[in-house]
Amino acid sequence: MLALGRTVAVGAFSTPVLSIRLATSTKTKTKTNVHKQAQTDVRLLLRNLGKLAQNSTTLGGRTAPAAVGRATREVTDQQQTTRRFHNSAAGNSRYSASTIMTSYHKELLLKDYDIVGFDLDGTLLRYNLHEMSALIYHVLKQFLVEQKGYDRDLLSQPLNLDFLQKGLFLDGPRGNVLKLSSEAQILRATHGTRLLSDTEVQAIYGRDRRWEITTAFYRDPLSTWNGAASTQMRSLLDYFDMPSALVFAQAVDQVDRKKKPSTGEEYQVWQDVQAGLMNIYSREHFPNDKSLYFKSMRAEPERFVLRTDPSVMNWLGELRKSGKKLFLLTGSNVDFANLTATQALGKDWRKHFDFVVTYAKKPGFFTMQRPFMQVDVGKLAELPQETKDIKAGEVYSQGNWHQLHAAMAGLLQKEPSEAKALYFGDNIIQDVYTPVKHRDFDAVAIAEELLIEDGKYPYAAELDSQLWGPYFALDSTPTLWSSFISSYAQLCVPSVEEVAQTAPDKRIVCHNPYGFSPRLPKELETVQLKSCWRG
């Protein structure tokens, strides 16, 4: 769910040194030579666009519509336990111990992971984006009119679905909406709802088309999570955020019609929209009628929440039978999580997990040491009591990864350093970048945008924007999100259901070096996608 109360202290974290050797040589090389060779090989890989476009996904003995992990050709089981690079290696990218890279494809063995975790919203359950987007859009507008004094004509503004796209950035002081490249250049921008010309973009942001705050986000997303940057810029990271771009833009248009701010004067629209988001998503407002969003969700959950395919629940059972420990980690409070999980997974949804953690306050869950709070499951409420020892089969609130990891490692009779974890999530910063960059995770990114090309996706109108262009690239330039995905995610799939077709002991192979499955998006087939890894 939308991350609110973004309180996170971001410290400096070191990245473990990789033990790497080249599979193409029988001679021992120094680490320095290996690193240089790896960088050279990956440049050759990126130039070979013909090979990059190999998109079919196969699985020995079984069809695999999904592909997870880092790349390899056929290797022996003994080789699969060693970090190595064959023909190419990304000197600036992170590769897990269970993954190997060649110039053709990526792969991952699920059996190498002891612990598998899942986000809830947008991952284990999906939403009817047509209904959900409209609900959030109208509720936010109503808040601005009734609580912030905007003119009522804002309510009559149309829901222009073509303005919506996940991953946009709001420049609050200027009243602009931005789309960024893989290196944080502004690819496209609007002022309010009006598309800005290239000349206007350069006049505002300079010839290099950069804004210092989004550049800081590109270098370290968590550095802009709180503080002054968070009051000026908002990254719209998921489908809960997505409609707020249009509300923001239409509110800016209204301000301009009344009295456009003079030179140097800043718009206050973002602060008002942010207050609206806090109001509609605040957990305190779930049991009462102060949030029209929660009120609508409680009244008709079946209208907004899709039922998860039974194959996913069966797969979760297979994972547990294979000896893995499973956890659910969601930013939703326990009452809302129970509402949506019951609708999507069934009344007995908790049985699929060894641990359930709600109101996790990601990304801080991975970088801080917040205590776990006890939960009254009967009343679906967090209790004002910390718990030092967390136990399997229970539901908790808040908490931290260090303690959860240790508890699950104990169940496996392993040291935490020996218990490898994989996490599935749709929020690229909270669920992919942060656990991979700052903790000992691997991650699988979920992006429904991959479903648009098949022509049957029912929510193409909400995600396939002609105004902003494709989510993954624009005019042969990769977006920030395709770069983050290729750099930090083991795999990017349209749904968990894709991966659920593969048994826990089988190899999942992806025939493109970026990890997009079941195929590389068309807009990336002729793009040289570079890593944004800063580790």
Side-chain angles (χ1 to χ4, degrees):
M1 185 176 175
L2 184 74
L4 297 177
R6 292 180 167 181
T7 303
V8 56
V10 184
F13 297 90
S14 60
T15 303
V17 177
L18 302 185
S19 175
I20 305 172
R21 64 184 175 87
L22 293 178
T24 55
S25 174
T26 58
K27 296 180 180 181
T28 302
K29 292 181 166 68
T30 66
K31 289 183 179 180
T32 300
N33 288 338
V34 170
H35 183 70
K36 290 181 178 178
Q37 180 65 45
Q39 288 182 317
T40 300
D41 288 340
V42 79
R43 292 190 185 102
L44 292 174
L45 164 64
L46 291 173
R47 293 193 185 103
N48 194 344
L49 298 179
K51 292 182 179 180
L52 300 189
Q54 298 191 29
N55 300 324
S56 59
T57 301
T58 58
L59 177 64
R62 186 169 180 174
T63 301
V68 182
R70 302 301 180 194
T72 186
R73 298 187 186 210
E74 296 299 320
V75 292
T76 66
D77 289 339
Q78 181 178 4
Q79 288 173 322
Q80 290 163 358
T81 62
T82 305
R83 295 181 193 238
R84 77 187 62 173
F85 297 82
H86 180 76
N87 289 340
S88 67
N92 290 328
S93 293
R94 177 185 185 280
Y95 293 88
S96 77
S98 60
T99 57
I100 308 98
M101 185 170 184
T102 75
S103 60
Y104 292 104
H105 58 254
K106 295 181 178 181
E107 78 165 26
L108 174 73
L109 294 178
L110 282 173
K111 69 179 182 181
D112 285 348
Y113 294 95
D114 306 294
I115 298 168
V116 184
F118 300 88
D119 181 29
L120 181 61
D121 300 294
T123 301
L124 278 183
L125 67 82
R126 292 167 54 195
Y127 286 91
N128 180 324
L129 294 182
H130 179 73
E131 296 289 347
M132 179 65 69
S133 298
L135 173 63
I136 296 170
Y137 171 73
H138 290 298
V139 167
L140 264 181
K141 287 200 305 181
Q142 190 166 340
F143 176 87
L144 292 184
V145 171
E146 295 181 356
Q147 303 296 325
K148 294 298 180 179
Y150 285 75
D151 289 347
R152 295 194 65 82
D153 66 3
L154 183 63
L155 299 177
S156 63
Q157 295 300 307
L159 171 54
N160 178 11
L161 294 177
D162 196 51
F163 198 88
L164 305 184
Q165 185 167 88
K166 186 176 70 177
L168 300 177
F169 289 78
L170 304 184
D171 177 348
R174 298 185 179 94
N176 296 343
V177 185
L178 315 175
K179 179 170 183 168
L180 300 185
S181 77
S182 58
E183 296 181 349
Q185 287 186 304
I186 297 169
L187 295 174
R188 192 162 288 178
T190 68
H191 175 74
T193 60
R194 181 179 67 83
L195 183 65
L196 296 175
S197 67
D198 286 340
T199 300
E200 289 175 307
V201 171
Q202 292 183 33
I204 297 169
Y205 298 101
R207 294 183 63 184
D208 60 351
R209 304 170 71 98
R210 296 180 190 273
W211 182 28
E212 61 273 12
I213 295 180
T214 47
T215 298
F217 179 96
Y218 156 71
R219 292 172 177 164
D220 178 7
L222 300 191
S223 70
T224 65
W225 210 257
N226 293 295
S230 66
T231 66
Q232 300 179 67
M233 182 272 290
R234 173 76 170 207
S235 51
L236 307 180
L237 299 175
D238 55 31
Y239 301 131
F240 291 98
D241 270 338
M242 192 169 66
S244 60
L246 180 57
V247 176
F248 170 81
Q250 290 177 336
V252 168
D253 288 346
Q254 184 182 99
V255 171
D256 285 348
R257 286 193 297 269
K258 293 180 65 177
K259 180 184 178 183
K260 188 171 184 178
S262 59
T263 303
E265 186 178 357
E266 296 182 349
Y267 289 82
Q268 300 300 310
V269 175
W270 160 235
Q271 285 84 346
D272 294 336
V273 172
Q274 184 180 43
L277 292 171
M278 295 291 291
N279 176 270
I280 69 174
Y281 295 131
S282 174
R283 65 173 179 167
E284 287 75 20
H285 293 167
F286 180 84
N288 54 45
D289 291 337
K290 291 184 179 180
S291 168
L292 294 179
Y293 167 77
F294 282 143
K295 182 179 180 181
S296 299
M297 289 290 296
R298 292 200 323 271
E300 299 179 279
E302 69 282 356
R303 177 181 171 188
F304 303 101
V305 180
L306 304 178
R307 292 196 178 276
T308 301
D309 192 277
S311 65
V312 173
M313 278 75 84
N314 293 336
W315 181 66
L316 295 177
E318 291 180 10
L319 290 174
R320 297 188 75 184
K321 288 179 182 178
S322 70
K324 302 182 190 305
K325 300 304 175 184
L326 270 59
F327 68 96
L328 179 69
L329 181 71
T330 174
S332 297
N333 198 51
V334 61
D335 46 11
F336 184 77
N338 183 69
L339 174 74
T340 57
T342 298
Q343 176 63 31
L345 307 176
K347 292 182 179 181
D348 58 351
W349 61 272
R350 288 174 51 197
K351 74 176 185 180
H352 300 294
F353 311 100
D354 296 283
F355 290 88
V356 174
V357 181
T358 62
Y359 198 56
K361 295 186 177 181
K362 297 178 287 185
F365 181 88
F366 299 111
T367 62
M368 301 179 71
Q369 294 291 324
R370 293 192 187 99
F372 280 91
M373 307 301 292
Q374 295 183 20
V375 168
D376 186 325
V377 178
K379 295 181 179 179
L380 296 174
E382 177 185 295
L383 300 175
Q385 301 171 9
E386 297 181 9
T387 180
K388 293 182 179 180
D389 299 316
I390 58 175
K391 301 177 182 179
E394 300 296 328
V395 178
Y396 297 98
S397 184
Q398 302 190 50
N400 64 87
W401 169 243
H402 176 79
Q403 192 174 351
L404 179 61
H405 191 192
M408 287 186 289
L411 295 177
L412 293 162
Q413 297 184 335
K414 291 186 175 184
E415 292 296 321
S417 60
E418 299 173 340
K420 294 176 55 181
L422 179 70
Y423 188 61
F424 289 75
D426 66 305
N427 189 304
I428 303 305
I429 299 304
Q430 296 182 20
D431 301 330
V432 179
Y433 166 83
T434 303
V436 171
K437 172 74 171 179
H438 293 292
R439 283 296 178 262
D440 47 358
F441 265 80
D442 288 336
V444 175
I446 307 297
E448 290 190 36
E449 287 78 6
L450 290 171
L451 294 170
I452 294 174
E453 289 182 15
D454 66 13
K456 300 177 182 179
Y457 182 59
Y459 311 117
E462 283 74 20
L463 300 187
D464 190 13
S465 171
Q466 301 304 304
L467 172 66
W468 296 108
Y471 174 70
F472 298 107
L474 179 64
D475 299 331
S476 298
T477 300
T479 64
L480 185 66
W481 304 115
S482 61
S483 179
F484 267 58
I485 288 168
S486 68
S487 297
Y488 297 101
Q490 301 290 85
L491 169 75
C492 182
V493 295
S495 67
V496 174
E497 186 179 345
E498 289 286 333
V499 184
Q501 309 307 312
T502 304
D505 61 342
K506 298 297 183 180
R507 176 185 304 167
I508 307 173
V509 181
C510 175
H511 286 279
N512 69 76
Y514 306 137
F516 290 94
S517 179
R519 58 185 176 273
L520 193 68
K522 288 182 179 179
E523 57 265 29
L524 291 179
E525 290 180 355
T526 57
V527 166
Q528 182 169 314
L529 187 57
K530 297 180 181 179
S531 170
C532 69
W533 176 248
R534 293 289 186 267

